[in-house]
Amino acid sequence: MRGIAAIVIHHAAAVATLEEIDGWHLARGWRGVGYHYVVEADGRLRLGRREDEVGAHARGRNADTIGVCVAVDARDGIPSEAWDQLVTLTRDLLRRHRLTVDNVIPHSAVSATVCPGFPISRLHSALREGDA
């Protein structure tokens, strides 16, 4: 297993399915969806690349990160089902990879982008609510 130093949070900037995102990434010449996980608008968790595979989601940080994409335009809000799944998934990834909330970073921390379209502090707060 490769060493994971961070979880990079993305949004699709549109309501999309895993299959649609896969098509977008294939059109860019990639070998398919670059994220490890995609949370669809209805909260369904979809698997992209395996965690032991290097992603294609954060240039310069793909080798040591896991990419998670919420498949909505988060600037318009995130449906509660998708938000709940994002929090649950991220908590699980933090636990399994022995990371802290500070290791959850927005795509904008590694690229000039507005992605993930919402303040990462909102996710950090939700993740910390589970700490006791």
Side-chain angles (χ1 to χ4, degrees), residues 7 15 19 24 30 34 38 43 47 49-50 54 56 58 67 73 82 86 95 121 128:
I7 300 163
V15 174
E19 291 79 14
W24 299 341
W30 300 351
V38 173
L47 304 178
R49 295 195 181 183
R50 294 187 332 259
V54 173
D73 188 336
L86 175 63
R95 179 189 55 76
S121 60
R128 286 188 175 110

Side-chain angles (χ1 to χ4, degrees), residues 11-18 20-21 24 38-42 69-79:
H11 76 138
V15 174
T17 64
L18 173 80
E20 290 170 314
I21 294 169
W24 299 341
V38 173
V39 177
E40 293 183 348
D42 63 1
C69 180
V70 182
V72 300
D73 188 336
R75 296 168 295 188
D76 296 332
I78 300 173

